[in-house]
Amino acid sequence: MTTTTTSETGGPAGSLARSLGLTDEDLVAMYRRLALARAIDERMWVLNRAGRVPFVISGQGHEGAQVGIVSNLRPGFDWLVPFYRSVAGVLTFGMSAREIMLAQYAKAPDPSSGGRQMPGHYGSAAHNILSTSSPVATQLLHAVGIGLAARIRRTGQVVVTALGEGASNQGDFHEGLNFAGLHHLPVVTVIENNGWAISVPAAKQAPIVDFAERAAGYGMPGVVVDGADVIGCWRVGHEAVERARRGEGPTLIEAKVTRLTAHSSDDQQTKYRTAEELERERLRDPLPCFREQLLEASVLTPEGVAAIATEIAAEVNDATEWAEQQPDPTVASATWYVYAEDRP
Amino acid sequence: MTTTTTSETGGPAGSLARSLGLTDEDLVAMYRRLALARAIDERMWVLNRAGRVPFVISGQGHEGAQVGIVSNLRPGFDWLVPFYRSVAGVLTFGMSAREIMLAQYAKAPDPSSGGRQMPGHYGSAAHNILSTSSPVATQLLHAVGIGLAARIRRTGQVVVTALGEGASNQGDFHEGLNFAGLHHLPVVTVIENNGWAISVPAAKQAPIVDFAERAAGYGMPGVVVDGADVIGCWRVGHEAVERARRGEGPTLIEAKVTRLTAHSSDDQQTKYRTAEELERERLRDPLPCFREQLLEASVLTPEGVAAIATEIAAEVNDATEWAEQQPDPTVASATWYVYAEDRP
Amino acid sequence: MATRTFIEAIREGLREEMRRDASTIVLGEDVGVKGGVFLATDGLFAEFGEERVIDTPLTESLIVGASIGAAVNGLRPIAEIQFADFILPAFNQIVSEAARMRYRSNNAFGCPITIRAPFGGGVHGALYHSQSMEAFFTHVPGLKVVVPSTPYDAKGLLRSAIRDEDPVLFFEHKKMYRSVRGDVPDGEYTVPLGQAAVTRAGSQVTVIAYGLMAHYALAAADRVDEDGISVEVIDIRTLRPLDRRTILDSVRKTGKCLVVYEDNKFGGYGAEIAAIVAEEAFDYLDGPVMRAAGPDVPGVPYNHVLEDWFMLDPERIAEAIRTLAAY
Amino acid sequence: MATRTFIEAIREGLREEMRRDASTIVLGEDVGVKGGVFLATDGLFAEFGEERVIDTPLTESLIVGASIGAAVNGLRPIAEIQFADFILPAFNQIVSEAARMRYRSNNAFGCPITIRAPFGGGVHGALYHSQSMEAFFTHVPGLKVVVPSTPYDAKGLLRSAIRDEDPVLFFEHKKMYRSVRGDVPDGEYTVPLGQAAVTRAGSQVTVIAYGLMAHYALAAADRVDEDGISVEVIDIRTLRPLDRRTILDSVRKTGKCLVVYEDNKFGGYGAEIAAIVAEEAFDYLDGPVMRAAGPDVPGVPYNHVLEDWFMLDPERIAEAIRTLAAY
Ligand SMILES: Cc1ncc(C[n+]2csc(CCOP(=O)(O)OP(=O)(O)O)c2C)c(N)n1
Ligand SMILES: Cc1ncc(C[n+]2csc(CCOP(=O)(O)OP(=O)(O)O)c2C)c(N)n1
Ligand SMILES: [Mg+2]
Ligand SMILES: [Mg+2]
C-alpha cells in the first residue's frame, strides 16, 4: 500500500530486459514506437508553423512513459482512455500515423472525430481507445466505468488511463480512484507529471512532491517511475497491468516526465520557463536516453537506428501527404449523430 | 505528516484535563453544552413525532467531537462552517437554544434562514457561522476561502469545518484540502465518521478504514480521534487550532463517532442496521462516557449533574415554547434578498 | 390491467427491464439494501444482487462518469441521483461528456445511459429538495429529457429510456410518487420517446404542461369548464426531443396558448415552448402566448407559508386560463 | 479618450479596480506570471504580487468555492475561468452556493464575487473551446449575467460587476478580444448593470442581440438598409437582470422582433426574450417573434467547413431580417 520508487533500472538494458521477459525485438519495437511518436509530433509543429494546421498539442517528453506502460496492454482487447498528450500511447495501442495525421488535419475519415474535434482528442472504436474530450480528468471516471463493466461482464479486460499532474487535482480524480480502489477494478491510472500545468509549476499545484503518494488514500499501490527510463516504465506498467488482470485491483503510477515543448501551439513558454530549465530538461528526453541504453546494450546498432529513422521518415511523410489529400467533412454531415437516429 | 491515533486519554479526567490547561469549570461548561445539545436534539424528535415539526436531522452521537473541537475557537472572531449534524458545534460557538428552535420551527426571526431552509441548515452572521446548504462537501471550499481571506487580510482567524465520511468522498473535498495544504491555510477539517452515509456502510464508501489517512496526500497532518472521548477531541482540536493560529497550516481530524438515530426523520434505519449494532453503538455515546469520566474525577457530582439537567430542561422548554410562538415569515417577504437590492 | 402508484410503476419498469436485459445495472446512493430513499429500487438488490444493484459512494460525478464508461464497455446503466437537486456535481459529466460522446466521436461511441432523478416541490423539501432541473438539460443537444406524469407513461417511457441508444434524463416528480395512481397493463408495452399526449380535448385555449403541472392543468381545465371555457391540455411527456406537431396543431386550432411549469419562470423550459409557438403559430394566435410558472426566487422556501406562495396550483392556473380566454 | 481593444479595456478595468480597492483579488488558472491564456490579467501579478493574483491549481470548483468563502470573509474575489466551457465543474458551487447564499440566509450573508470567462466560437476552438454558456446561468435567480460587446461597456460593466454585492458572471467573447476596438474614456466611469443599449435606431424591425452577435446585428442592419429596411438594434449587455422596458418599448414601436444568439437555439437565452416579447408586446406585433441562433448540435465543430456552417454571420442575420420585414 505504500508508495515505492523505482529508480534507475541499472545494469545494461539488454540483460535487465531479458530478466523481465522482454526480447530484443520487443525493445526495438518499443524504440520504434517512441521514435515514430516523436517524428509525428515534430511534424505537427512543422505543419503548424507553416500555417497548414491551426493547432498542435504535443506529447514530446512523455513518450517513454506511454510506450513503456501501454505496451503491456492487449491491443483490440483491453482499453486505453487517453488524454491530449497520448500521441505515443495511442500509437502503441494500434492507431496508425495516418490516423493521427487525419486528426491533425481534421479530415472526414479521421477515426477520432471525423474532424469535429481539435487535434489531440484521440479516439478509435476499432482499437478500444475511448474518445477524448477537453475538460481534464473527466476520463478517469470513464476508465473506472469501463473497468466496472469488465468486472461485471467478466471479460478480463484491463484499462489504462492517463492525465497530467495538474488534472489530478480535480475532484473527478478523487471520486474515480476511490471507487476503483473500493471495487478492486482493473484500472491503471497514470499521472504523467511534467511539472507544469500550462504556466503553473507543480509547487503551486499541490503541497506534495510525489502525486503517487495519494494512492494510499485510495487503498491501492502508488508507484513513482522515471519517465525517461522506458524499461522502468514497462516494468511498473507490467506489474500494474498483471495485478489488474489477476483481479487484485488498481494501481496509481506517477511517471516523472518532461514537457519538451510549449503547452500547445497557442502558448509562449519562455514567459514562465527559463532557458536554463529548458536546457536542463532536455537531459530527461526519453528518446536519446532509451537510444543510448539500447546502443550500449547492443540491442541496437547505429545502423539500425539510422534504418529506423529512414523508415519512420517515410511513414510520416506518407501519413502527412495522404491525410492532407483526404476530404473535409461535408456540411450535410454536420447534423449527423447528435443522436443515434441521426444517420445519413 | 503521518496519521496518528489518539486512543484513550487515560488516567482520571481531571488530572489529564489540568495537564492540558483545562479547568474544572471548562470541563463542566463542555459537559453542559453536550447535554444541552442532546436535550435540544431529543426535543426535536419529540416535536416531530407529535406532528409539530415536519423534519428533523440530528447530531446525536456526534456531540462529543463537536464540543471538544469547537471549544478551541474564539467565538465571534473565528469561523465555523458547519453541516447538518452540527447541533452541538453551533451551540458551542454561540448559538442559543432559542435560535436552534427557531430554525426547527422555520419562524421569521430564525437567524439561520428566516424559515427558508429546512431545519439543520444552520448559519449566523452574528456568530461567524456560515450559512449551510444541502449539497454535501461544498462547504469545505467555503471554509478554505474564509481561511484564504484570513491569511490575506492577516486577521489571525481560524476556521473549523465539518462533514461526514460519506461526503468526504466528493470531489470538493479533494480540491479543498489540496488548496488548504498548498497555501498552509488556517483551516481545520473534521470528518465526523459515523460509519454510515444514510444506509451505505463505510466499507462500501471507501477502501480505507481511517479517512484521516488521506491527509498525507494534502501535505497536512491527519489525526484520528475517538469521538466519545471528549477530552481527547478537545486535545486534537486544540493542537490543530493552535497550529493553524501559528500559521503552520491545516489539519485533517477524523473523529470516530456514532449515529445514535436514524439518518433523519424520513429514514427507517432498522432496514439496514441490526438491533445488535444499534445496541452496541449505544456504548459509544459521548454523553454518558463524558459524564462518567467527570463523576469519576470528581469534577462533577451526581447533584451537579441533576442540577444541570434541570437547568437544561428549563432552557429547552423555554426555547421550544418561545420559538413556537414566533411569527411565520410573511408572504410579502418571499421575494426579499434574491439580490442585495431586494430590500423591503 | 392493474392499478399502480406512480412509484410502483417505476419500480416495476426497472425490475422488468433488469429481468429482460442482463446488461442493465442500477447504481446510485442507497439504491441497494435500503431500496432508495423513496423506495423506487426496493427489492432489486434482493433479486439481482450487489453486482447489478450498486450502492455507490456519495459521489454524483462518479455515478454518471462511471455509467458513461460502463455503457461504452457493454452495459446499460440506470443511474439514480437521490434528488434532482444533487445532479449538479455531475453536471460536467452529463453535459460535457454523456451528451457529446456520440457527436464528438462521429458515432464511434454512444452513451446509452438513463439517469433517474426525483424532482419538484410541494413536499416541504425547501431550497435543495424541491428543484426543477429540466431547463438545464433540455437546452443540451445530445440529451433526451423525459418527465412522465402518469404511472402508465412512467413505466412505458422508462422502458423506452433504458432501451434508447443515447443518454436520457428521467425526472420523476416526487410529490406524485404515492399520490398519483393509474392503470398499468400487465404485459410489456412501451411509450415511445418524443411524443406529447393530448390529455383533454378542447377548443378555446391550449394548456401545455408536464409533470405535476400536467395534473394541475387538467384540474384547472375542469374548474374553468364551469365558466364555459373549453380547454385542450397537452402533456409534453418528452421535453427533448419535443413533439412540436402536437403542440402547434393544437394552438393553431384554439388560437390561445398557456404554458405551465413549476420551475422559475425566467429562462425556464416553458420559455422555449412559448418561443416556438410565438414563432410558428403566429398567424393563428388570438392572444399572447402566456406563461404560468414559478416565481423567480432561488428555490422553494421551507416554511409552509412561503412554500404555498411559491407553488402553482390548479386555481392559479385556472386564473391564468380565464385571463387568456377573456383576451 | 483612448482607443482600446476589447481585452485591453478589460485588463485596465481589472487593474484600476485592484488599485482602488485593496480587498479585490484575482484568482484562476495561469492568471499569474503568464497573465492568463488570453493575457487579460497580464501585468497584474507584477503589480499586485502573488497574494492578490493567485495561480490556482487546475480546479474550477475550488476557484469558485474559495471565492465564495473569501467573499464572506471580507474580500472581493474576481475569478477567471480559463474558458467558459470549463465552468461546468464549478456549476454546483455557482448555482447551489453562490446564487443562493443571500436568499437562503435571509440576507445574513452575501456573495460579492465576479466570475470572468471567455466564451464563444469562430476561433477554431471546436466543441470545448467555443461554447456559449449564458443560458445555464441566466435561468438562475441570484446570479447576474453580463455580456459586454464594446471596450467601453466591457470596462464600465466590469467595474459595476466587481462592485456589485452579488455574484456576477461576466462572459467575454474571445473572438472580440483583439478584433474589436473602441473609445474608452480616461477617467473612472461605470456602466450600470441591468440596462440595455439601443445601438442603432430604426423603425421597422427590432433586432435584439449581445456579445459578438451585437456586432453582427449592426452589420446586418447596414446590409438591409440598402434594401430599405430600417432596423433598430438593441444590445442587451446585462442578460440578467434584464432591461425589459428598452426591449418592449422598441418592439411596440417597430412591431417586429428578431432575437439573435450564437448558442444552440433550443432552450437558449433568446427563448426567454422571445417569450417575453410574445407575451407582453402581443398587441403590437406585426409578425412572429423570430429567432436566428446556432444549430442544435453539441458544440461548434472544429473543421472550418463545419465551423462556418455553425456560426451565424451578418448575412444570415440579414436574411432573417428580410424575411421578417417582408412578413
Ligand atoms: C476542466 C478544465 N479546466 C481547464 C482546462 C484548460 N487546460 C487545458 S490543459 C491545462 C493544463 C493541464 O496540466 P496537466 O494536467 O499537468 O497536463 P499537462 O498539460 O501538463 O500534460 C489546462 C489548464 C481544461 N482543459 N479543462
Ligand atoms: C451532493 C449530495 N448528494 C446527496 C445528498 C443526500 N444526502 C444527504 S446526507 C447523505 C449521507 C451523508 O453521509 P455522511 O457524509 O457520512 O454524513 P452523515 O449523514 O453520516 O453524518 C446523503 C446521501 C446530498 N445532501 N448532497
Ligand atoms: Mg503537467
Ligand atoms: Mg456518515
Side-chain angles (χ1 to χ4, degrees):
Chain A
M1 288 295 162
T2 55
T3 302
T4 63
T5 305
T6 56
S7 55
E8 295 305 293
T9 47
S15 66
L16 172 74
R18 270 187 298 279
S19 81
L20 295 170
L22 280 170
T23 65
D24 283 3
E25 289 68 44
D26 292 334
L27 291 173
V28 173
M30 280 163 67
Y31 174 74
R32 200 186 178 290
R33 277 187 216 112
L34 211 162
L36 175 62
R38 178 64 55 88
I40 292 174
D41 204 306
E42 286 172 347
R43 176 62 56 87
M44 294 175 188
W45 287 91
V46 171
L47 294 173
N48 178 255
R49 294 222 181 78
R52 307 270 280 284
V53 301
F55 182 75
V56 173
I57 192 151
S58 181
Q60 291 186 40
H62 292 231
E63 303 100 327
Q66 294 174 9
V67 170
I69 293 166
V70 176
S71 290
N72 291 287
L73 290 182
R74 290 168 54 188
F77 174 76
D78 289 327
W79 279 88
L80 179 64
V81 182
F83 80 129
Y84 47 86
R85 300 217 188 277
S86 301
V87 185
V90 300
L91 279 170
T92 303
F93 205 50
M95 283 188 94
S96 68
R98 281 186 169 194
E99 289 178 321
I100 302 235
M101 279 299 168
L102 283 173
Q104 199 59 44
Y105 280 104
K107 294 296 191 173
D110 157 34
S112 293
S113 79
R116 289 172 170 192
Q117 292 216 74
M118 295 174 96
H121 291 60
Y122 303 108
S124 163
H127 298 299
N128 283 2
I129 299 171
L130 185 60
S131 164
T132 309
S133 68
S134 303
V136 299
T138 53
Q139 74 271 22
L140 268 266
L141 301 185
H142 309 159
V144 165
I146 290 173
L148 178 69
R151 227 254 336 256
I152 293 176
R153 294 177 51 220
R154 300 189 174 28
T155 62
Q157 294 160 310
V158 173
V159 194
V160 167
T161 186
L163 78 171
E165 86 293 343
S168 77
N169 298 307
Q170 284 273 351
D172 276 357
F173 177 88
H174 183 60
E175 299 192 10
L177 264 69
N178 181 57
F179 193 80
L182 181 61
H183 288 280
H184 307 289
L185 299 182
V187 178
V188 178
T189 302
V190 185
I191 298 178
E192 299 183 12
N193 181 353
N194 60 14
W196 293 93
I198 307 185
S199 73
V200 181
K204 281 191 167 190
Q205 297 178 39
I208 49 173
V209 172
D210 294 332
F211 287 76
E213 212 184 318
R214 289 181 173 162
Y218 306 116
M220 64 178 78
V223 187
V224 177
V225 65
D226 176 0
D229 174 7
V230 179
I231 298 175
C233 290
W234 184 88
R235 194 177 68 188
V236 303
H238 190 73
E239 279 162 16
V241 169
E242 290 311 306
R243 186 179 131 81
R245 188 89 68 203
R246 290 192 303 270
E248 291 167 20
T251 301
L252 176 62
I253 298 173
E254 177 185 5
K256 307 278 193 189
V257 301
T258 181
R259 195 185 85 195
L260 293 174
T261 64
H263 172 73
S264 76
S265 53
D266 290 340
D267 179 40
Q268 293 293 338
Q269 68 175 340
T270 49
K271 192 163 178 191
Y272 56 84
R273 289 176 94 177
T274 63
E276 296 75 57
E277 191 217 332
L278 292 172
E279 194 54 39
R280 203 171 56 235
E281 286 295 301
R282 285 258 150 227
L283 300 176
R284 303 184 51 227
D285 183 343
L287 184 59
C289 289
F290 195 32
R291 189 193 298 126
E292 291 311 315
Q293 214 183 4
L294 296 188
L295 286 168
E296 220 164 281
S298 302
V299 175
L300 269 180
T301 59
E303 297 73 36
V305 170
I308 289 173
T310 310
E311 275 167 46
I312 284 176
E315 190 170 343
V316 173
N317 284 338
D318 162 77
T320 309
E321 283 153 28
W322 179 82
E324 187 157 12
Q325 284 157 27
Q326 298 309 301
D328 282 319
T330 60
V331 165
S333 74
T335 57
W336 296 352
Y337 311 128
V338 179
Y339 300 100
E341 49 271 27
D342 303 323
R343 298 236 162 87
Chain B
M1 287 293 162
T2 55
T3 301
T4 63
T5 305
T6 56
S7 54
E8 296 304 294
T9 46
S15 66
L16 173 74
R18 270 187 297 277
S19 81
L20 294 169
L22 280 170
T23 64
D24 284 2
E25 288 68 43
D26 293 334
L27 292 173
V28 173
M30 280 164 67
Y31 174 75
R32 201 188 177 291
R33 275 186 217 114
L34 212 162
L36 175 63
R38 177 63 56 88
I40 292 175
D41 205 306
E42 286 172 345
R43 176 63 57 88
M44 293 176 189
W45 287 89
V46 170
L47 295 173
N48 178 255
R49 295 221 180 79
R52 306 271 279 285
V53 301
F55 181 77
V56 173
I57 192 153
S58 184
Q60 291 186 40
H62 291 232
E63 302 100 327
Q66 294 173 10
V67 170
I69 293 165
V70 176
S71 290
N72 291 287
L73 290 183
R74 290 167 54 187
F77 174 75
D78 290 327
W79 279 88
L80 178 64
V81 183
F83 79 130
Y84 47 86
R85 299 215 189 279
S86 300
V87 184
V90 300
L91 279 171
T92 304
F93 205 50
M95 282 187 94
S96 67
R98 284 186 168 195
E99 289 178 320
I100 302 238
M101 280 298 168
L102 284 173
Q104 199 59 43
Y105 280 104
K107 295 296 192 176
D110 158 33
S112 294
S113 78
R116 289 173 169 191
Q117 293 217 74
M118 294 174 96
H121 290 60
Y122 303 107
S124 163
H127 298 299
N128 283 3
I129 298 171
L130 186 60
S131 164
T132 310
S133 69
S134 303
V136 299
T138 52
Q139 74 271 22
L140 268 266
L141 301 185
H142 309 160
V144 165
I146 289 172
L148 178 69
R151 228 255 334 259
I152 293 175
R153 295 177 50 220
R154 297 183 176 37
T155 62
Q157 294 160 310
V158 174
V159 194
V160 167
T161 186
L163 78 171
E165 86 293 343
S168 77
N169 298 305
Q170 284 274 351
D172 276 356
F173 176 88
H174 183 60
E175 300 191 11
L177 264 68
N178 182 58
F179 193 81
L182 181 62
H183 288 280
H184 307 289
L185 298 181
V187 178
V188 178
T189 302
V190 185
I191 297 179
E192 299 183 13
N193 182 354
N194 60 14
W196 294 92
I198 308 186
S199 73
V200 181
K204 281 192 165 189
Q205 296 179 39
I208 50 172
V209 172
D210 293 331
F211 287 76
E213 213 183 316
R214 290 182 172 159
Y218 306 116
M220 65 179 77
V223 186
V224 177
V225 65
D226 176 0
D229 174 6
V230 179
I231 298 176
C233 290
W234 184 88
R235 195 178 67 189
V236 303
H238 190 74
E239 279 162 17
V241 168
E242 290 312 305
R243 188 180 130 80
R245 189 91 66 203
R246 290 192 303 270
E248 290 166 21
T251 301
L252 176 62
I253 298 173
E254 177 185 6
K256 308 279 192 188
V257 300
T258 181
R259 195 185 85 195
L260 293 173
T261 65
H263 173 73
S264 75
S265 52
D266 290 341
D267 179 40
Q268 291 294 337
Q269 67 175 342
T270 50
K271 193 166 177 188
Y272 55 85
R273 288 178 94 176
T274 62
E276 296 75 59
E277 192 218 330
L278 292 173
E279 194 52 42
R280 205 173 52 236
E281 287 295 302
R282 286 259 150 226
L283 299 176
R284 301 184 52 225
D285 183 342
L287 183 59
C289 290
F290 195 34
R291 188 193 302 128
E292 292 310 314
Q293 214 182 5
L294 297 189
L295 286 168
E296 218 165 285
S298 303
V299 175
L300 269 181
T301 59
E303 298 70 38
V305 169
I308 289 173
T310 310
E311 272 170 49
I312 284 176
E315 189 169 348
V316 173
N317 284 339
D318 162 75
T320 309
E321 283 152 31
W322 180 83
E324 187 157 9
Q325 285 159 24
Q326 297 310 301
D328 284 317
T330 60
V331 164
S333 74
T335 56
W336 296 351
Y337 311 128
V338 179
Y339 299 100
E341 48 271 28
D342 302 325
R343 298 237 161 87
Chain C
M1 275 296 180
T3 301
R4 293 279 178 271
T5 62
F6 192 64
I7 196 164
E8 284 166 355
I10 290 165
R11 196 185 300 137
E12 277 185 11
L14 288 170
R15 189 167 57 222
E16 291 170 18
E17 283 302 294
M18 289 194 77
R19 285 181 185 161
R20 193 187 61 81
D21 179 355
S23 72
T24 50
I25 59 168
V26 160
L27 71 170
E29 295 154 14
D30 304 290
V31 298
V33 176
K34 185 171 166 75
V37 295
F38 292 101
L39 302 182
T41 59
D42 200 26
L44 300 184
F45 186 84
E47 179 169 351
F48 301 103
E50 67 176 352
E51 211 167 62
R52 288 183 63 199
V53 182
I54 305 169
D55 268 330
T56 63
L58 181 28
T59 49
E60 287 78 10
S61 191
L62 175 280
I63 293 171
V64 173
S67 293
I68 295 170
V72 161
N73 198 18
L75 294 183
R76 216 156 254 268
I78 309 165
E80 175 174 303
I81 299 292
Q82 196 160 84
F83 286 83
D85 313 64
F86 305 136
I87 206 166
L88 297 187
F91 202 68
N92 192 37
Q93 284 289 344
I94 298 171
V95 173
S96 298
E97 303 297 329
R100 295 166 169 233
M101 185 60 80
R102 187 179 302 283
Y103 191 80
R104 80 177 186 220
S105 72
N106 203 28
N107 207 36
F109 296 99
C111 183
I113 67 175
T114 302
I115 303 174
R116 297 179 38 253
F119 82 103
V123 295
H124 309 308
L127 272 78
Y128 296 101
H129 297 78
S130 303
Q131 291 173 76
S132 299
M133 302 307 251
E134 67 278 4
F136 293 131
F137 299 101
T138 47
H139 176 49
V140 179
L143 298 178
K144 298 184 177 181
V145 180
V146 175
V147 185
S149 80
T150 66
Y152 179 92
D153 282 351
K155 187 168 176 182
L157 285 164
L158 182 59
R159 279 213 188 86
S160 297
I162 294 169
R163 299 178 190 184
D164 199 87
E165 294 300 325
D166 290 299
V168 181
L169 287 149
F170 196 89
F171 289 116
E172 304 160 5
H173 201 295
K174 64 178 91 76
K175 195 183 169 92
M176 290 165 43
Y177 272 151
R178 287 176 176 79
S179 65
V180 170
R181 320 183 133 261
D183 284 341
V184 173
D186 290 326
E188 189 176 308
Y189 71 96
T190 59
V191 174
L193 304 186
Q195 295 185 7
V198 178
T199 54
R200 176 190 178 112
S203 59
Q204 288 168 275
V205 174
T206 299
V207 177
I208 301 171
Y210 53 95
L212 181 64
M213 295 303 125
H215 293 275
Y216 287 3
L218 287 172
D222 279 347
R223 292 188 184 210
V224 299
D225 197 47
E226 296 159 16
D227 310 321
I229 305 172
S230 167
V231 173
E232 180 145 306
V233 177
I234 294 176
D235 179 356
I236 304 183
R237 304 198 295 188
T238 301
L239 276 54
R240 182 173 192 132
L242 175 67
D243 179 357
R244 308 162 89 94
R245 176 175 308 248
T246 298
I247 290 171
L248 292 171
D249 283 353
S250 175
V251 178
R252 287 179 183 140
K253 182 178 74 177
T254 61
K256 287 183 172 167
C257 177
L258 173 71
V259 187
V260 182
Y261 52 108
E262 180 181 327
D263 192 10
N264 308 116
K265 183 173 185 182
F266 194 91
Y269 175 73
E272 177 62 33
I273 305 289
I276 288 173
V277 170
E279 183 158 1
E280 298 182 29
F282 178 72
D283 288 337
Y284 303 83
L285 287 176
D286 298 324
V289 184
M290 282 178 56
R291 291 182 286 165
D296 285 314
V297 302
V300 184
Y302 179 68
N303 180 289
H304 63 97
V305 172
L306 304 180
E307 184 178 42
D308 290 347
W309 166 83
F310 186 100
M311 294 296 291
L312 281 179
D313 58 27
E315 185 46 34
R316 290 185 206 177
I317 298 169
E319 225 14 84
I321 297 172
R322 289 184 198 109
T323 306
L324 185 55
Y327 197 89
Chain D
M1 277 291 182
T3 301
R4 293 280 179 269
T5 62
F6 193 64
I7 197 164
E8 283 165 355
I10 291 166
R11 196 185 300 135
E12 277 184 11
L14 288 170
R15 189 167 57 223
E16 291 170 18
E17 282 303 295
M18 289 193 77
R19 284 181 187 162
R20 191 187 62 82
D21 179 355
S23 72
T24 51
I25 60 168
V26 160
L27 71 171
E29 295 155 13
D30 304 289
V31 298
V33 176
K34 186 171 165 74
V37 295
F38 292 100
L39 303 182
T41 59
D42 201 25
L44 300 184
F45 186 84
E47 179 167 351
F48 302 103
E50 64 177 354
E51 210 168 62
R52 287 184 63 200
V53 183
I54 305 169
D55 269 330
T56 64
L58 180 27
T59 49
E60 285 79 9
S61 190
L62 174 281
I63 293 171
V64 174
S67 294
I68 294 169
V72 161
N73 198 18
L75 294 184
R76 216 155 254 267
I78 309 165
E80 176 173 301
I81 299 293
Q82 196 161 83
F83 286 84
D85 313 65
F86 305 135
I87 206 167
L88 297 188
F91 201 68
N92 191 39
Q93 284 288 346
I94 298 171
V95 174
S96 299
E97 303 298 329
R100 294 165 169 233
M101 185 61 81
R102 186 179 303 282
Y103 191 79
R104 79 176 187 223
S105 72
N106 203 29
N107 207 35
F109 296 99
C111 183
I113 67 175
T114 302
I115 303 174
R116 297 179 39 251
F119 83 104
V123 295
H124 309 308
L127 271 78
Y128 296 100
H129 296 78
S130 301
Q131 291 172 76
S132 299
M133 303 307 252
E134 68 278 3
F136 293 130
F137 299 101
T138 47
H139 176 48
V140 179
L143 299 179
K144 298 184 177 181
V145 181
V146 175
V147 185
S149 81
T150 65
Y152 179 92
D153 283 351
K155 187 168 177 182
L157 286 164
L158 182 59
R159 278 212 189 88
S160 298
I162 295 169
R163 299 178 190 184
D164 199 87
E165 293 300 325
D166 290 300
V168 181
L169 287 148
F170 195 88
F171 289 116
E172 304 160 3
H173 201 297
K174 65 178 91 73
K175 195 182 169 91
M176 289 166 40
Y177 272 150
R178 288 178 175 78
S179 66
V180 169
R181 322 184 132 259
D183 285 342
V184 173
D186 291 324
E188 188 176 310
Y189 70 97
T190 60
V191 175
L193 304 187
Q195 295 185 5
V198 177
T199 53
R200 177 190 175 112
S203 59
Q204 289 168 275
V205 175
T206 299
V207 177
I208 301 171
Y210 53 95
L212 181 63
M213 295 304 125
H215 293 274
Y216 287 3
L218 287 172
D222 280 346
R223 293 190 183 208
V224 300
D225 197 47
E226 296 159 17
D227 309 321
I229 306 172
S230 166
V231 174
E232 180 144 306
V233 177
I234 294 176
D235 179 355
I236 304 183
R237 304 197 296 187
T238 300
L239 276 54
R240 182 172 192 134
L242 175 66
D243 179 357
R244 307 161 90 93
R245 176 175 307 247
T246 298
I247 289 171
L248 291 171
D249 283 352
S250 176
V251 177
R252 287 179 182 140
K253 180 178 73 175
T254 61
K256 287 181 173 169
C257 176
L258 173 71
V259 187
V260 182
Y261 52 108
E262 180 180 326
D263 193 10
N264 309 117
K265 183 173 184 182
F266 194 90
Y269 176 72
E272 178 62 32
I273 305 289
I276 289 173
V277 171
E279 185 159 359
E280 299 182 28
F282 178 73
D283 288 336
Y284 303 82
L285 286 177
D286 297 324
V289 183
M290 283 178 57
R291 290 182 288 165
D296 284 314
V297 302
V300 184
Y302 179 68
N303 179 289
H304 63 98
V305 172
L306 303 180
E307 184 177 43
D308 291 347
W309 166 82
F310 186 101
M311 294 295 293
L312 281 179
D313 58 28
E315 185 47 34
R316 289 184 207 178
I317 298 169
E319 225 12 85
I321 298 172
R322 288 185 199 109
T323 306
L324 184 55
Y327 196 89

